[in-house]
Amino acid sequence: MTASTMKAMINETTDSMHEAQPGSAGQVVTTDSPILATYKRAPVEFVRGSGVYLYDAEGTAYLDFVSGIAVNALGYDDAGLKAAMHGAVDGLVHTSNLYHTSPGERLAAALVAKSFADKVFFCNSGAEANEGAFKFARRWARTKGDAKHEIHALRGAFHGRLFGTLAATDRPAYRLPFRPLTPGVSIFERDLAELDAALSEDTVAALIVEPVQGEGGVRVLDHGFLRELRAVTRARNIALILDEIQCGLGRTGTLFAYEQAGIEPDMVTLAKPLAGGLPMGAILMTRAIAESIKPGDHGTTFGGGPFVASVALHVLQRLSDPAMLRHVTEVGAWFGHELHELARRTGRIRQVRGAGLMWGVDVMGTAAHVVSESLANGLLVCSAGDYTVRMLPPLISTQADLARGLSILEEVL
Ligand SMILES: Cc1ncc(COP(=O)(O)O)c(C=O)c1O
């Protein structure tokens, strides 16, 4: 494909790279690809990556502010990550969870040492982690009474697209085609008074919250609000599950976003960057939750296998390095300030929201248009809803990388 055909195709792209429209919008995307079109893919094919750049077959560089949707925290072609993967190849790849293997044990111990948690369950994706957390919350809550089973989520939430998590995901287009949704899972406003009334000690097992809502438009939940939620859920014996699948593991400048609110949850779910691009999810939990779970209550064939866990050990060590976290805090604060300046200069941004290296800007016009124009100009950004352009640069991005992305964005706007 020539560069000019590619550019023409990019300009024709009317939707974001992340959002799938078929079914939900009554419109089915057909392409020649044998891969089912659940995503409307951008008209570009990447063949390699280096640092914060992706390259197509013609060698065109794209500055990546998507990071595989918050997965590639260490960017591309990272020497340490590659060495960890090569090293893992020489070890066992898979044995099943019927046996002990050392990498998973060591990874769980490292996660426990660095967090509030006493036990860890490994799985393969974000949605799978949240599904597991719902089951664990119910198992634990049932020890307190049979009616205690409801799961509450917040307006704007995205917790996944499997049956249970879909019911906790507040996006009508994703939900409506698949009704009836899992019962006992409901969405409430991000409002303390409404939640106070909804969080009944007798019926509610868990409240699940993203400290920074990602897909819902990059909305940073106020730390005071999180503390209030913690106080109410603790007082009423309701498990507080924090979904840090997108905002966790260093993205907001601390290893876990909850640290900044000064709270301790009952469970935290992780995935995206955990194994450097290999599929892996995790549920971190307190002893009280763990003690209600018995062998046979839950399972997964691949979760926490030795290959993926060895790689995740390396990633966790890199992302929890105080120098890395300081870097994210510093460049993230600078980036946020510059986005506000950009809004002022261009008059094309209604609102700027974010923390660390997780930012959203509400643009005039559609986010999809900015996404496709940015792609045509060598910058990858994605959307979070119809009007929010979302930026999730690799955590290794320098101020110069961020400045380059800002100047492309300014031109596009
Ligand atoms: C906050 C949050 N939770 C859950 C998920 C689902 O993760 P996965 O796509 O790995 O199932 C995502 C994915 O974007 C997410 O951002």
Side-chain angles (χ1 to χ4, degrees):
M1 193 184 299
T2 65
S4 58
T5 338
M6 179 72 83
K7 180 147 183 165
M9 286 177 69
I10 290 170
N11 287 334
E12 276 166 24
T13 303
T14 53
D15 214 330
S16 87
M17 291 182 290
H18 181 231
E19 294 196 9
Q21 295 304 314
S24 55
Q27 147 210 24
V28 174
V29 176
T30 50
T31 69
D32 292 338
S33 169
I35 298 175
L36 185 67
T38 55
Y39 282 78
K40 190 167 183 180
R41 293 171 198 260
V44 61
E45 183 182 336
F46 295 120
V47 295
R48 71 181 186 89
S50 175
V52 295
Y53 286 91
L54 277 168
Y55 296 85
D56 66 15
E58 291 173 334
T60 307
Y62 294 81
L63 178 58
D64 184 8
F65 280 11
V66 177
S67 305
I69 319 178
V71 169
N72 301 322
L74 299 173
Y76 299 93
D77 206 29
D78 178 85
L81 181 58
K82 282 203 313 190
M85 287 186 180
H86 284 133
V89 165
D90 291 332
L92 284 167
V93 172
H94 174 80
T95 60
S96 88
N97 286 311
L98 297 175
Y99 312 104
H100 293 283
T101 48
S102 155
E105 298 285 343
R106 286 188 287 137
L107 178 63
L111 284 165
V112 164
K114 292 173 190 297
S115 74
F116 72 98
D118 298 299
K119 295 278 181 188
V120 181
F121 175 85
F122 291 120
C123 54
N124 307 284
S125 72
E128 193 190 346
N130 286 336
E131 295 275 340
F134 291 175
K135 281 183 69 180
F136 294 163
R138 276 205 176 154
R139 191 78 169 99
W140 165 80
R142 282 252 158 78
T143 63
K144 301 176 189 311
D146 210 43
K148 198 170 168 70
H149 66 275
E150 291 170 12
I151 314 276
H152 286 5
L154 296 189
R155 178 71 64 219
F158 184 97
H159 297 298
R161 293 155 173 275
L162 301 182
F163 255 40
T165 46
L166 189 59
T169 286
D170 182 31
R171 194 74 86 85
Y174 294 169
R175 296 161 61 95
L176 297 178
F178 304 102
R179 286 170 299 169
L181 300 178
T182 304
V185 184
S186 319
I187 309 272
F188 290 89
E189 297 301 327
R190 297 184 299 263
D191 173 79
L192 209 51
E194 180 172 324
L195 283 165
D196 191 35
L199 289 167
S200 153
E201 173 157 13
D202 297 333
T203 58
V204 181
L207 172 67
I208 182 164
V209 172
E210 295 155 85
V212 182
Q213 293 188 332
E215 307 298 315
V218 191
R219 289 172 204 284
V220 185
L221 295 199
D222 183 72
H223 292 164
F225 179 61
L226 282 175
R227 280 194 288 273
E228 296 277 9
L229 294 183
R230 175 66 287 188
V232 173
T233 50
R234 182 158 280 153
R236 297 178 194 172
N237 265 316
I238 293 168
L240 179 64
I241 307 170
L242 295 183
D243 176 340
E244 296 217 7
I245 286 161
Q246 189 164 149
C247 67
L249 294 174
R251 185 146 292 276
T252 66
T254 44
L255 185 60
F256 301 101
Y258 72 76
E259 293 170 39
Q260 293 174 42
I263 57 169
E264 293 214 334
D266 297 294
M267 282 186 264
V268 161
T269 50
L270 301 172
K272 291 185 180 285
L274 181 56
L278 302 178
M280 185 175 221
I283 309 169
L284 278 52
M285 72 199 81
T286 58
R287 189 168 311 284
I289 303 279
E291 279 173 353
S292 68
I293 314 296
K294 292 168 199 55
D297 279 345
H298 196 50
T300 184
T301 298
F302 292 111
F307 180 83
V308 77
S310 312
V311 176
L313 263 167
H314 173 80
V315 174
L316 182 62
Q317 180 213 328
R318 295 278 298 281
L319 298 183
S320 57
D321 181 341
M324 171 71 85
L325 296 170
R326 211 166 33 245
H327 168 78
V328 174
T329 304
E330 283 168 11
V331 294
W334 179 84
F335 191 57
H337 174 263
E338 291 301 307
L339 283 171
H340 283 286
E341 286 297 304
L342 188 66
R344 194 183 49 73
R345 273 202 306 279
T346 61
R348 304 288 304 159
I349 293 175
R350 292 176 209 274
Q351 208 182 30
V352 177
R353 296 182 296 272
L357 284 175
M358 180 172 184
W359 289 89
V361 292
D362 289 353
V363 291
M364 312 280 185
T366 65
H369 188 63
V370 174
V371 169
S372 62
E373 283 297 310
S374 299
L375 177 68
N377 285 279
L379 173 69
L380 305 180
V381 292
C382 59
S383 68
D386 292 341
Y387 305 104
T388 307
V389 175
R390 181 172 36 154
M391 286 157 279
L392 304 158
L395 303 190
I396 56 157
S397 302
T398 62
Q399 190 168 308
D401 297 327
L402 298 171
R404 166 136 182 73
L406 284 167
S407 82
I408 298 175
L409 187 63
E410 178 153 15
E411 210 165 292
V412 166
L413 289 172

